[in-house]
Amino acid sequence: MSTTPAISLTGLTKKFKDVTAVDDLTVDIRAGRVTGLLGRNGAGKTTTLRMLLGLAGPTAGHATVLGRPYGELPRAAHRVGVAMDAIGPVTGSTVRGELLVWTACLGLDRRRTDEVIGLTGLTGAEDRPVSGCSTGMKQRLALATALLADPEVLVLDEPANGLDPDGIRWLRDTLRELAAEGRTVLVSSHQLAEVEQTVDDVVVVQRTLRYAGTLADLTDGGAHRLEERFFHLVDAPERALTHA
Ligand SMILES: Nc1ncnc2c1ncn2[C@@H]1O[C@H](COP(=O)(O)OP(=O)(O)O)[C@@H](O)[C@H]1O
Ligand SMILES: [Mg+2]
């Protein structure tokens, strides 16, 4: 396993007028693992991911992915797969039509479209209009889009939202497989139970960093529930608890 972090955030800060959404966030995301970026609604998760991807400019600090700022990373769109609401379906088309647009944008073989349809369990739904898809199917489509270029790093904002229990299980198995293949997966969530069996590492944020380390360390090897530890961390007086 590589010791160079796949993603590094250094003093990352974002202020919107009088709201500080992200405050001095410094954390490394380890390569080849699934990391959960966990926090309540409004904790600053999406803002952090947007800064990582150059979609929002930080007020202070900086972020790198695979050693470079995203905007300076060669072949970034191929090396970093992204699923965020803001980068959702664009064509008003069918599931396959949507994927074909991205396949063409990325300069990939059209056959890759059908591969990711298979990988994300969308077989049979290819010809459905995206507008008629359930939230769960849209989540699968977003992940299919993120996987198109076979990226080394995946950045997924709330991919468990709107998934039913089967979908949650599918997502967990899929993310675990992707990490087992050596990929780095950074997944944000406010649903702790959904990610507890998915993540290796945990970054807890509540505007500031509250924890960064392994899930096993946080839960004492499973002796405590993630939820219990989480509330302790986010409701404690503000402080950053960082484990190496
Ligand atoms: N474009 C924006 N303008 C003003 N405030 C924003 C903007 N985006 C996010 N915020 C605020 O920043 C905080 C963090 O939001 P966000 O990063 O979306 O949190 P999360 O993804 O963890 O739910 C919230 O208080 C939110 O209202
Ligand atoms: Mg969010």
Side-chain angles (χ1 to χ4, degrees), residues 16 19 21 40-48:
F16 296 105
V19 176
R40 293 192 170 106
N41 284 328
K45 304 179 297 295
T46 298
T47 303
T48 298

Side-chain angles (χ1 to χ4, degrees), residues 48-238:
T48 298
L49 298 181
R50 288 176 58 82
M51 287 192 281
L52 170 65
L53 299 167
L55 298 168
T59 307
H62 62 272
T64 61
V65 52
L66 298 170
R68 303 275 191 92
Y70 181 84
E72 296 170 19
L73 181 70
R75 304 183 73 250
H78 292 82
R79 299 180 69 190
V80 183
V82 177
M84 295 186 91
D85 279 350
I87 314 175
V90 290
T91 62
S93 170
T94 62
V95 167
R96 177 184 274 114
E98 171 72 22
L99 285 166
L100 278 170
V101 169
W102 288 106
T103 303
C105 285
L106 292 163
L108 304 172
D109 192 297
R110 285 172 68 93
R111 277 172 298 190
R112 184 63 183 155
T113 303
D114 289 313
E115 282 174 18
V116 296
I117 285 171
L119 283 173
T120 53
L122 285 167
T123 307
E126 300 96 320
D127 299 324
R128 242 186 245 194
V130 175
S131 57
C133 286
S134 64
T135 311
M137 280 169 63
K138 284 182 186 158
Q139 289 284 23
R140 288 173 191 258
L141 175 57
L143 184 58
T145 308
L147 287 174
L148 269 173
D150 201 12
E152 295 153 64
V153 175
L154 282 160
V155 177
L156 311 173
D157 195 17
E158 304 269 4
N161 263 9
L163 292 183
D164 63 14
D166 291 332
I168 299 278
R169 180 192 284 182
W170 160 79
L171 181 68
R172 181 178 70 216
D173 293 347
T174 303
L175 298 187
R176 296 247 39 98
E177 273 168 38
L178 290 164
E181 291 165 5
R183 290 169 225 274
T184 304
V185 182
L186 177 59
V187 48
S188 80
S189 186
H190 66 277
Q191 297 160 286
L192 304 175
E194 274 77 350
V195 297
E196 190 158 10
Q197 291 171 287
T198 308
V199 301
D200 303 300
D201 293 333
V202 172
V203 175
V204 175
V205 292
Q206 176 68 33
R207 188 169 59 83
T208 56
L209 179 69
R210 298 308 176 90
Y211 175 84
T214 65
L215 175 71
D217 282 348
L218 183 60
T219 61
D220 286 337
H224 299 270
R225 297 302 306 271
L226 172 60
E227 192 179 70
E228 180 192 330
R229 292 299 199 187
F230 175 86
F231 285 117
H232 178 73
L233 290 166
V234 297
D235 292 333
E238 194 162 298

